[in-house]
Amino acid sequence: MTTVIRSIVVGAVLFAAGAVMLSRAKAGSDEFFPPVTDPLTRQECGGCHMAFPAGLLPARSWQKVMGELDNHFGDDASVDAATARQINTYLMAHAADSAGNGGMHRWLRGVSAAAAPQRITELPKWVREHREVARSDWTRKEVASKANCVACHVDAERGYFEDD
Amino acid sequence: MQRPLIVMFLAALAAMPAANAAPRDDILAGYAAQAKADDAAFGGFSATRGEALYRDRHGGGKPDTSSCTSCHGDKTRAAGRTPVGKAIDPVAVSVAPTRYTEPAKVEKWFRRNCREVLGRECTAREKGDWLAFMMTQ
């Protein structure tokens, strides 16, 4: 191998490693949750509220949500069987405790392995992150619900939930 | 073998501007056939009845969403808002020309929303009335 080729190869490897580390760092923080990329899930789960990133709940929670769509927090959010299967597959594969999401276990701290909470807004970590949010912020007219993340996190649709 | 395909493709292109109206007319025709089957005296859809369905407060459904306007808003040409706070695109055909063109989507939302507001599914006549009203908007 000539030196030139060797340095190109080394450079490429370093670059790739850097990219992996960068995406790890992002996935491991509490600020970035990759947005839903599956168009069907975006469409079917984004009509009444934002399509919540799959990394905000563990797989067992998504399974429960998907199993009870005909009575979804009092609403009928049911879809046909083939659609449900595709959404379920997507959500399970990208859930907080899925294999590709190593860094996100922290988000599930305090959730018992036996529990399958359907609400993101009842996870201990979510409650802790919002403990200091003023009461007057929750009652603002555009907020309407705790589940309306976008009202406060303007970049939530792109996956960013930093303090703002 | 190739030529007919190309001709068909060009013909389809030429037909594009009207492409949104055709599926909506098909959906409406389907509701008309069903309305006629439900009631032999059915004499066509009415935008006036559609507007009443849209604006009236109904009993039977959920108390906090007793009207279509609870989410779709008083103005058909303006954006609405769900109880969770998410914006809904306007429902008037003039500003939302792609609406009411996918039968499965239309049926899914009629089923959900009529149950939510009226506590039952809408009849074919009611659905046609709503579409007739929105097409005047």
Side-chain angles (χ1 to χ4, degrees):
Chain A
M1 244 201 270
T2 70
T3 358
V4 176
I5 294 186
R6 197 176 305 141
S7 55
I8 290 176
V9 169
V10 169
V13 167
L14 282 178
F15 180 79
V20 167
M21 277 160 69
L22 196 71
S23 67
R24 283 262 173 74
K26 270 181 151 184
S29 80
D30 292 337
E31 298 170 11
F32 181 73
F33 292 82
V36 171
T37 49
D38 175 43
L40 190 68
T41 307
R42 271 193 101 82
Q43 182 188 310
E44 296 296 339
C45 304
C48 302
H49 44 66
M50 78 172 290
F52 299 117
L56 285 168
L57 285 176
R60 56 189 188 276
S61 290
W62 289 123
Q63 191 139 36
K64 187 143 199 274
V65 168
M66 293 307 295
E68 297 174 6
L69 282 183
D70 54 340
N71 185 6
H72 178 71
F73 303 94
D75 271 21
D76 173 13
S78 57
V79 293
D80 65 71
T83 305
R85 223 173 298 123
Q86 183 177 328
I87 295 173
N88 196 42
T89 305
Y90 172 81
L91 292 172
M92 303 289 279
H94 298 83
D97 54 347
S98 65
N101 251 347
M104 252 163 206
H105 290 284
R106 280 192 318 142
W107 182 250
L108 299 180
R109 201 174 286 159
V111 182
S112 118
Q118 291 204 44
R119 281 199 187 269
I120 299 155
T121 53
E122 283 173 5
L123 298 182
K125 191 81 170 126
W126 190 95
V127 173
R128 182 135 30 90
E129 295 285 5
H130 294 85
R131 208 167 29 199
E132 282 163 27
V133 180
R135 184 171 196 91
S136 57
D137 277 347
W138 297 114
T139 50
R140 257 161 52 213
K141 195 162 151 280
E142 7 16 306
V143 173
S145 161
K146 282 182 193 170
N148 189 12
C149 323
V150 185
C152 305
H153 301 284
V154 291
D155 270 337
E157 291 284 3
R158 295 197 302 122
Y160 293 99
F161 293 88
E162 64 271 336
D163 314 15
D164 48 12
Chain B
M1 272 325 279
Q2 292 284 23
R3 180 148 304 179
L5 267 183
I6 292 169
V7 171
M8 272 167 64
F9 179 69
L10 289 178
L13 268 188
M16 286 281 265
N20 281 339
R24 189 157 47 235
D25 290 343
D26 289 349
I27 293 172
L28 214 50
Y31 289 148
Q34 185 59 47
K36 186 100 197 153
D38 291 344
D39 175 8
F42 170 73
F45 295 125
S46 146
T48 312
R49 283 196 311 252
E51 177 159 21
L53 171 64
Y54 182 67
R55 298 197 187 284
D56 285 355
R57 311 227 141 262
H58 304 271
K62 292 194 201 158
D64 28 348
T65 51
S66 60
S67 168
C68 305
T69 61
S70 309
C71 293
H72 292 295
D74 290 335
K75 299 198 185 96
T76 56
R77 288 188 212 84
R81 195 165 181 261
T82 70
V84 197
K86 189 179 158 98
I88 307 177
D89 287 341
V91 281
V93 170
S94 63
V95 290
T98 58
R99 280 223 185 269
Y100 323 116
T101 54
E102 277 177 59
K105 180 179 180 191
V106 177
E107 274 296 288
K108 181 178 67 192
W109 287 103
F110 268 134
R111 176 171 47 83
R112 284 180 184 162
N113 295 342
C114 290
R115 281 201 201 140
E116 178 115 5
V117 173
L118 309 168
R120 60 166 174 84
E121 300 213 11
C122 283
T123 63
R125 200 200 77 185
E126 286 169 324
K127 295 177 198 172
D129 287 346
W130 159 284
L131 291 190
F133 173 54
M134 291 308 166
M135 288 163 81
T136 68
Q137 289 295 289

